[in-house]
Amino acid sequence: MRTLTVELGERSYPIYIGSGLLEQIGSYLERHSVSTKSPLLVVTDDHIAPLYLDKTVEQLEHHGYRVVTSVVAAGEKAKSLSVFEDVMTAAIQGGLDRKSAVLALGGGVVGDLAGFVAATYMRGIKFVQIPTTILAHDSSVGGKVAVNHPLAKNMIGAFHQPVMVLYDVDTLQTLPMRDVKAGYSEMIKHGLIWDEAFADWCYSHADSLLSLNREDLAYGLEKGCAVKAAVVSQDEQENGLRAILNLGHTIGHAIEAVGGYGEFLHGEAISIGMIGSALLAVNRGRERSIYTRTKEILERFGLPTALPKHVDTEQLISALLHDKKFKENLIVFVLPVAIGKVEIVSDITLDEVRSVIEQLKEEA
Ligand code: NAD
C-alpha cells in the first residue's frame, strides 16, 4: 500500500492507495475518529451502486456504523442543485448530525456533489473520499467541491477537505474503457504542469496503463496525487500557484458546457483544452514541439485532441466568458512554457481564443 499526505496543517490528511482497501473501510474510519454513534451517509451513483455499495455498507455495519445511502443517476448532470437537494433530503431524513460523515463512493461527479453536501450540511460535517475512477486521483484530493449551474461549471461550491482518501485500485478494473482513457487526461496534465519525466513515463507506459496493470496504475496514481498534493499544500484556496492545475480547463469547461454536460466527458474536454493551451502558447512564440509532444502523449491514450466541427465557435466563446477566470475583457489562461512547466497568463484576448478554436476544429 502507498500512503501520501496532503500537508495542510491541522487539516492535513492521508491518501491511501492500494488493493483490498474497501474491505477495511470500517477500520480506516475508526482510525480517523469517525464516530459510530452518528449515522453515515454514503453517496454513490447508479453505475457504481450495483458493484460496490452493498459491500461497502456491509463492511461499515460490521464495524457498528449506521448507514444511510443516496444513489444518484450517473453522469455530470448529477452535479446540479436539484440532485444536491435530493442528497440533502436523504441526509436530513437519515438523521445525520454534526458528528456524522458523508462518504463519496465514486468518481469525480459523486466526489464533488457529496463533498458539497458535506461542506454545507449543518454548516459542514466530516467528508471521506473513496474514489473509484482514475480521474478521481485528481478530484478526490484538494478539497474543491461543487455543483454546476446550467450556465457554467462548478459555479456553486466550497473548499472542504476530506479527512482521508481511500483509493482501492481494485475498483478501477470495472471502469468502462472510455472512462479509463478520460481519467488519464488529468494524470497526463500532472506531468505536463509539473514533471516532464512523469509525462514521459505516462507516454512510455500507455499500453500497460490502458490495460489497467495494477502496479503501473498504482504508481501513476501516486505520482499524480503527489503533484496535486504538493500544489494544494502550497496554495489551498487558489490564490496563486494552485491555478496551474487548471491547464486545459478554461477551454475544457466551455466544451463541456456547450456539449450540455453529456457529449464530452470531463477528461476528454480537458484533453482538447490542453491542446488549445499549447496552441495559444505556440501562437505567442513558444516552441512548436510543446504542441506536438502534448498531442503525441494524449493521442497515445486515445484521447481527443481536436474539436468536432459541429461545435459552434461563438457558443463556445460565450460559455467561456461565464467562466470564473475571465477578468476585464482579458482571459486568464494556464499556458505551457515547456513540457513539465506552465505559466499563468492574464492577458489572452478573445481574438486569440477564437483563432485557437478554429485551429482546433481544423485538426478534426
Ligand atoms: P464520473 O464520476 O462521472 O465517473 C465516470 C463514469 O464511470 C460514471 O458513469 C460512473 O458511474 C462510472 N464509474 C465510476 N467508477 C466506476 C467503477 N469503479 N466501475 C464502473 N463504473 C464506474 O466522472 P469522473 O471522470 O470520475 O469525474 C469527472 C468530474 O470530476 C467532473 O465533474 C469534474 O469537474 C470533476 N473534477 C473535480 C476536480 C476537483 O478538484 N474537485 C478535479 C478534476 C475533476
Side-chain angles (χ1 to χ4, degrees), residues 44-49 51-52 72-79 105-113 129-146 148 153-154 158 168-176 178-180 182-183 186 189-190 228 232 242 245-246 249 253 256 261 265-268 270:
T44 193
D45 75 28
D46 59 6
H47 291 168
I48 303 158
L51 296 164
Y52 306 111
V72 304
E76 183 71 25
K77 289 198 168 93
K79 275 175 61 174
L105 173 68
V109 164
V110 165
D112 283 10
L113 170 71
Q129 287 270 20
I130 311 166
T132 65
T133 64
I134 294 167
L135 189 132
H137 83 278
D138 182 359
S139 59
S140 64
V141 176
K144 273 192 181 182
V145 295
N148 303 327
K153 216 178 129 83
N154 296 337
D168 186 337
V169 293
D170 297 343
T171 62
L172 303 174
Q173 300 295 325
T174 52
L175 267 181
R178 190 174 167 197
D179 290 294
V180 169
E186 297 273 23
K189 178 198 78 181
H190 287 128
K228 177 103 188 225
V232 169
R242 185 169 177 159
L245 296 167
N246 295 327
H249 283 59
H253 281 174
E256 284 187 272
Y261 298 119
L265 297 180
H266 178 70
E268 294 169 348
I270 298 315

Side-chain angles (χ1 to χ4, degrees), residues 232-246:
V232 169
S233 296
Q234 288 177 56
D235 176 19
E236 183 181 6
Q237 302 220 344
E238 201 167 310
N239 294 312
L241 178 73
R242 185 169 177 159
I244 68 170
L245 296 167
N246 295 327

